[in-house]
Amino acid sequence: MAVILLFTITSANLFSQGFYVYTKDGQHQDYPSENVDSIVFYECTSLTSITLPNSLDTIGAYAFYNTGLTSITIPKNVKYIGNEAFSESSLNTVVWNAKNVSNFNSYYGAPFEDCSNISTVTFGDSVRVIPGTLFPS
Protein backbone atom coordinates (compact mmCIF):
# COMPACT_ATOMS: atom_id res chain seq x y z
CA MET A 1 0.00 0.00 0.00
CA ALA A 2 1.40 3.42 -0.94
CA VAL A 3 0.99 6.47 1.24
CA ILE A 4 0.54 9.77 -0.53
CA LEU A 5 1.04 12.93 1.53
CA LEU A 6 -1.13 15.79 0.39
CA PHE A 7 0.48 18.36 2.65
CA THR A 8 3.94 19.59 3.58
CA ILE A 9 5.25 18.65 7.03
CA THR A 10 7.28 21.39 8.70
CA SER A 11 7.55 20.14 12.28
CA ALA A 12 6.44 17.24 14.42
CA ASN A 13 6.05 16.30 18.07
CA LEU A 14 6.19 12.73 19.27
CA PHE A 15 4.62 11.47 22.46
CA SER A 16 4.41 8.11 24.21
CA GLN A 17 1.52 6.71 22.16
CA GLY A 18 2.16 8.31 18.79
CA PHE A 19 2.99 11.55 17.09
CA TYR A 20 1.39 14.46 15.34
CA VAL A 21 2.71 16.63 12.58
CA TYR A 22 2.20 20.27 11.71
CA THR A 23 1.67 21.43 8.17
CA LYS A 24 2.51 24.81 6.64
CA ASP A 25 -1.00 26.08 7.36
CA GLY A 26 -0.72 25.21 11.07
CA GLN A 27 -2.98 22.16 10.94
CA HIS A 28 -1.93 18.93 12.60
CA GLN A 29 -2.61 15.26 12.07
CA ASP A 30 -2.29 12.49 14.69
CA TYR A 31 -0.59 9.19 13.89
CA PRO A 32 -0.78 6.43 16.54
CA SER A 33 2.56 4.69 17.01
CA GLU A 34 4.71 3.60 19.93
CA ASN A 35 7.99 4.00 18.01
CA VAL A 36 9.35 6.00 15.13
CA ASP A 37 8.97 3.44 12.37
CA SER A 38 11.39 2.94 9.49
CA ILE A 39 11.18 5.48 6.65
CA VAL A 40 8.31 7.40 8.30
CA PHE A 41 9.86 10.80 7.45
CA TYR A 42 12.13 9.54 4.63
CA GLU A 43 13.22 12.46 2.39
CA CYS A 44 10.77 14.84 4.09
CA THR A 45 13.03 17.84 3.46
CA SER A 46 10.44 20.28 4.80
CA LEU A 47 10.59 18.69 8.28
CA THR A 48 12.75 21.17 10.17
CA SER A 49 12.00 20.37 13.82
CA ILE A 50 10.83 17.45 15.92
CA THR A 51 10.50 16.67 19.62
CA LEU A 52 11.06 13.05 20.64
CA PRO A 53 9.55 11.86 23.96
CA ASN A 54 11.69 10.38 26.75
CA SER A 55 9.57 7.22 26.54
CA LEU A 56 10.76 6.50 22.99
CA ASP A 57 12.91 3.37 22.70
CA THR A 58 13.19 2.72 18.95
CA ILE A 59 14.06 4.84 15.93
CA GLY A 60 13.69 2.80 12.75
CA ALA A 61 16.02 2.60 9.77
CA TYR A 62 15.96 5.66 7.50
CA ALA A 63 13.29 7.23 9.75
CA PHE A 64 14.67 10.76 9.26
CA TYR A 65 16.82 10.16 6.17
CA ASN A 66 17.41 13.35 4.15
CA THR A 67 15.14 15.56 6.25
CA GLY A 68 15.48 19.28 6.92
CA LEU A 69 16.11 18.73 10.65
CA THR A 70 18.82 21.03 11.98
CA SER A 71 18.98 19.62 15.50
CA ILE A 72 17.92 16.45 17.28
CA THR A 73 17.88 15.28 20.89
CA ILE A 74 18.03 11.51 21.29
CA PRO A 75 16.04 10.59 24.43
CA LYS A 76 17.64 8.64 27.27
CA ASN A 77 15.52 5.49 26.85
CA VAL A 78 16.33 4.88 23.17
CA LYS A 79 17.80 1.39 22.86
CA TYR A 80 17.71 0.86 19.10
CA ILE A 81 18.53 3.14 16.19
CA GLY A 82 18.18 1.68 12.70
CA ASN A 83 20.56 1.97 9.78
CA GLU A 84 21.06 5.50 8.47
CA ALA A 85 18.21 6.82 10.64
CA PHE A 86 19.40 10.45 10.22
CA SER A 87 21.72 10.08 7.22
CA GLU A 88 22.03 12.91 4.72
CA SER A 89 19.91 15.20 6.90
CA SER A 90 20.61 18.89 7.53
CA LEU A 91 21.62 18.35 11.17
CA ASN A 92 23.96 20.86 12.80
CA THR A 93 23.47 19.81 16.42
CA VAL A 94 22.99 16.44 18.12
CA VAL A 95 22.24 16.00 21.82
CA TRP A 96 22.79 12.34 22.73
CA ASN A 97 21.05 11.32 25.97
CA ALA A 98 20.63 7.60 25.16
CA LYS A 99 22.12 5.65 28.06
CA ASN A 100 22.71 2.40 26.22
CA VAL A 101 21.96 1.71 22.58
CA SER A 102 22.32 -2.07 22.64
CA ASN A 103 21.04 -2.95 19.18
CA PHE A 104 23.31 -0.62 17.25
CA ASN A 105 24.51 -1.97 13.92
CA SER A 106 26.40 0.25 11.51
CA TYR A 107 27.25 -2.46 8.99
CA TYR A 108 24.63 -1.11 6.59
CA GLY A 109 25.19 2.53 7.51
CA ALA A 110 25.67 4.49 10.72
CA PRO A 111 22.74 6.56 12.02
CA PHE A 112 24.46 9.85 11.12
CA GLU A 113 26.14 8.71 7.89
CA ASP A 114 26.86 11.61 5.50
CA CYS A 115 25.72 14.30 7.94
CA SER A 116 28.47 16.72 6.99
CA ASN A 117 26.89 19.77 8.68
CA ILE A 118 27.10 18.43 12.26
CA SER A 119 29.26 20.86 14.21
CA THR A 120 28.09 20.23 17.79
CA VAL A 121 27.53 16.95 19.64
CA THR A 122 26.62 16.99 23.31
CA PHE A 123 26.47 13.85 25.46
CA GLY A 124 24.12 13.81 28.46
CA ASP A 125 25.29 13.10 32.01
CA SER A 126 23.69 9.64 32.10
CA VAL A 127 25.39 8.38 28.92
CA ARG A 128 27.56 5.35 29.64
CA VAL A 129 28.05 3.86 26.17
CA ILE A 130 28.93 5.72 22.96
CA PRO A 131 28.89 3.45 19.90
CA GLY A 132 32.23 3.71 18.11
CA THR A 133 30.78 4.20 14.64
CA LEU A 134 28.02 6.61 15.60
CA PHE A 135 29.52 9.52 13.66
CA PRO A 136 31.63 8.09 10.83
CA SER A 137 34.26 10.37 9.34
Side-chain angles (χ1 to χ4, degrees), residues 117-135:
N117 293 330
I118 294 177
S119 60
T120 304
V121 178
T122 304
F123 293 98
D125 293 337
S126 63
V127 174
R128 297 293 175 252
V129 175
I130 300 170
T133 55
L134 187 61
F135 300 98

Side-chain angles (χ1 to χ4, degrees), residues 50-67:
I50 194 161
T51 303
L52 303 175
N54 282 330
S55 58
L56 188 71
D57 69 0
T58 299
I59 299 172
Y62 304 96
F64 299 99
Y65 181 92
N66 193 27
T67 62

Side-chain angles (χ1 to χ4, degrees), residues 35-40 42 52 56-66 74 78-89 91 96 98 100-115 131 133-136:
N35 302 306
V36 179
D37 294 329
S38 296
I39 69 168
V40 70
Y42 184 87
L52 303 175
L56 188 71
D57 69 0
T58 299
I59 299 172
Y62 304 96
F64 299 99
Y65 181 92
N66 193 27
I74 307 298
V78 169
K79 293 178 181 62
Y80 177 85
I81 299 179
N83 303 330
E84 298 194 41
F86 298 93
S87 292
E88 297 192 28
S89 65
L91 288 170
W96 184 271
N100 187 15
V101 177
S102 59
N103 288 334
F104 182 77
N105 180 354
S106 65
Y107 179 75
Y108 295 104
F112 298 96
E113 188 89 26
D114 296 323
C115 289
T133 55
L134 187 61
F135 300 98

Side-chain angles (χ1 to χ4, degrees), residues 12-74:
N13 288 310
L14 277 71
F15 50 92
S16 62
Q17 295 301 310
F19 62 92
Y20 56 95
V21 297
Y22 290 99
T23 62
K24 279 185 176 179
D25 60 3
Q27 301 298 311
H28 77 274
Q29 176 69 43
D30 294 335
Y31 295 89
S33 176
E34 292 184 1
N35 302 306
V36 179
D37 294 329
S38 296
I39 69 168
V40 70
F41 293 108
Y42 184 87
E43 293 194 347
C44 187
T45 57
S46 61
L47 178 66
T48 57
S49 68
I50 194 161
T51 303
L52 303 175
N54 282 330
S55 58
L56 188 71
D57 69 0
T58 299
I59 299 172
Y62 304 96
F64 299 99
Y65 181 92
N66 193 27
T67 62
L69 291 175
T70 57
S71 67
I72 191 71
T73 298
I74 307 298

